Amino acid sequence: MTCFQSSLRVHSSFRIGLPCEFPRRIATRTRRKCRVQAGIIQYLKDPTISPILTSTLIAAGTVSFNLVAGLVTEKKRADLTLEVEQQRNFAKAQQELQSLTARYRGPLLEAVVDLENRMWHLANATSEWQTSEGIVSEQEVMYTLFNLAQFLGYVEVVRREGPREDAFLQAGNPQGSDTLATLVEGLRFVMSAASGNLVDWGDVYEPRDHPGSRTRRTGEDLIEWTPIQQYQLKVDDQLRVPRGTQRAIGALMLTTPSGSDRHYTMDFAQFCDRYTKDPVFAEWLKPSHDDIINLASGDNWKGQGPFPMGRWSRVLLLQQMLIDAEDLLDPTYVRVPKARRTRLMPIEYGPLPALSEYQRKLRRLARSSTIGEYSRSLSDVSKWSKSVSSIDEAQLEAMRKHSSGRSSKTHSSRANGKAAHESRHEM
């Protein structure tokens, strides 16, 4: 049966009630399709055409295969490049942590420890504060003043040149705040706030925010709120250091220029010499000097808390926050043992943001073997990244096996070390 006869049989149902031109058009189109199909079949039967068509199909298949293989190789290369970049960033972060430890965390921790020790002895009125004549020792007053100024010096270094601690924040910080900066702001607030504002934070509202991340009042709250002014008139407020004075003292204490690899402040001998010879320098420190004498010679601390506000409130709050600083900067108890981190009269307030993550990374940094691994990792990444642009698929697989082998060896060595430690502990 021809294509034309088939089309007539298929479209015979259109004869009734339809125009006569419609079946003819259908038949014409069908004949054209049949002619095209017959022409293609005849073309393919030609012995001169078949080899050409076969070669064309093989070439097209080869091109397609090479294209797919090239895309797969490029994807592997892109994945490897990303992996190398991630390792480079990780190693760079660890170097930043080491630099942070040498330039900022270590000196700041020493200043924190010294100042906390003086606050504890001041509140407990230990015997070194009195001379044989029963008067306050000027040397003890000057040494306490020196430790306060030294602490403000390193706080100024962190504020002026300290890193924003990107390495500590890579894992994310839910409060969007720098852990160390929040701690420093809390210390600044405790020393600088007017007594009414300090009472408003610590004695009026509970639960308290961390003093370094206090919640600001909204417009409606500010309209209804008035500072507690009576405390500023009635309270014997001691050891208040305004923010501008804090920065001025800190800047005057520094002896190294900006951008130095490590910063230093004046030592105690230089501090005493300048205090007695430089009236401008002494003018910034004179109010704190007088406050320390008043605290050491007046009514002793009798175990009361910082609130209601009194003459010992700032000393107690500052001592508690300095212990918090020791916990943050020395989580492994290397510099100060846990038994000496005693808070005189602690109060409750909110935690520092991302505290556990900050301390976890400091503990990791404290392990010398880990630091060595980070240094070797940086060297390996540097060599690895130079060859990424000129590698083939076989090299990709070899480098991946090398990386997985190093990882498995590291994990196995750590597991063996842990097992040996546990066995020694059991013995």
Side-chain angles (χ1 to χ4, degrees), residues 29-173:
R29 292 175 182 173
T30 304
R31 283 197 300 270
R32 289 176 180 174
K33 292 180 180 179
C34 292
R35 289 173 183 173
V36 171
Q37 293 175 359
I40 291 174
I41 294 173
Q42 186 65 29
Y43 181 79
L44 294 176
K45 290 181 178 180
D46 190 344
T48 61
I49 297 300
S50 181
I52 298 175
L53 181 62
T54 302
S55 301
T56 302
L57 292 176
I58 292 175
T62 303
V63 171
S64 300
F65 177 79
N66 292 335
L67 179 61
V68 172
L71 291 175
V72 171
T73 303
E74 287 299 323
K75 184 178 183 305
K76 290 183 178 180
R77 183 180 285 108
D79 292 342
L80 179 60
T81 303
L82 178 61
E83 182 179 348
V84 169
E85 185 65 24
Q86 291 174 346
Q87 293 192 17
R88 183 189 294 112
N89 293 335
F90 178 76
K92 181 181 178 181
Q94 303 313 314
Q95 283 196 335
E96 181 184 341
L97 288 178
Q98 295 179 36
S99 175
L100 173 68
T101 301
R103 297 180 61 189
Y104 305 102
R105 186 174 70 91
L108 181 61
L109 175 59
E110 293 298 324
V112 164
V113 171
D114 291 341
L115 182 58
E116 188 278 327
N117 186 55
R118 299 312 300 168
M119 293 296 102
W120 191 90
H121 282 277
L122 180 61
N124 285 278
T126 50
S127 58
E128 66 264 20
W129 284 94
Q130 302 292 329
T131 64
S132 58
E133 292 81 13
I135 62 175
V136 176
S137 171
E138 178 64 17
Q139 184 174 354
E140 293 298 326
V141 174
M142 288 297 296
Y143 187 59
T144 303
L145 185 64
F146 163 73
N147 281 289
L148 176 63
Q150 177 183 247
F151 168 75
L152 293 176
Y154 285 118
V155 167
E156 177 64 15
V157 168
V158 173
R159 192 213 65 82
R160 184 189 300 176
E161 298 186 15
R164 297 283 74 83
E165 301 200 37
D166 295 334
F168 286 132
L169 298 176
Q170 283 182 354
N173 192 328

Side-chain angles (χ1 to χ4, degrees), residues 16 46 50 90 93 119-120 126 135 141 173-174 212 241 249 262 266 285 292 303 361 368 371 417:
I16 302 175
D46 190 344
S50 181
F90 178 76
M119 293 296 102
W120 191 90
T126 50
I135 62 175
V141 174
N173 192 328
V241 186
I249 295 173
R262 182 160 182 169
M266 285 183 282
L285 293 158
I292 295 171
K361 292 190 176 183
S368 59
I371 295 177

Side-chain angles (χ1 to χ4, degrees), residues 199-212:
V199 170
D200 182 63
W201 163 76
D203 201 26
V204 176
Y205 295 103
E206 291 187 2
R208 306 177 185 90
D209 295 328
H210 189 280

Side-chain angles (χ1 to χ4, degrees), residues 171-216:
N173 192 328
Q175 298 189 29
S177 179
D178 188 308
T179 309
L180 182 59
T182 302
L183 173 69
V184 171
E185 167 57 25
L187 289 163
R188 284 186 177 276
F189 170 75
V190 167
M191 287 190 289
S192 67
S195 55
N197 294 332
L198 200 59
V199 170
D200 182 63
W201 163 76
D203 201 26
V204 176
Y205 295 103
E206 291 187 2
R208 306 177 185 90
D209 295 328
H210 189 280
S213 57
R214 305 175 307 283
T215 302
R216 283 188 169 180

Side-chain angles (χ1 to χ4, degrees), residues 146 149-150 153-154 156-157 160 249-258 260 262-268 270-271 274 281:
F146 163 73
Q150 177 183 247
Y154 285 118
E156 177 64 15
V157 168
R160 184 189 300 176
I249 295 173
L252 290 170
M253 286 293 294
L254 296 177
T255 59
T256 49
S258 299
S260 301
R262 182 160 182 169
H263 290 276
Y264 296 92
T265 62
M266 285 183 282
D267 59 34
F268 184 47
Q270 293 173 329
F271 174 82
R274 186 169 182 182
F281 180 73

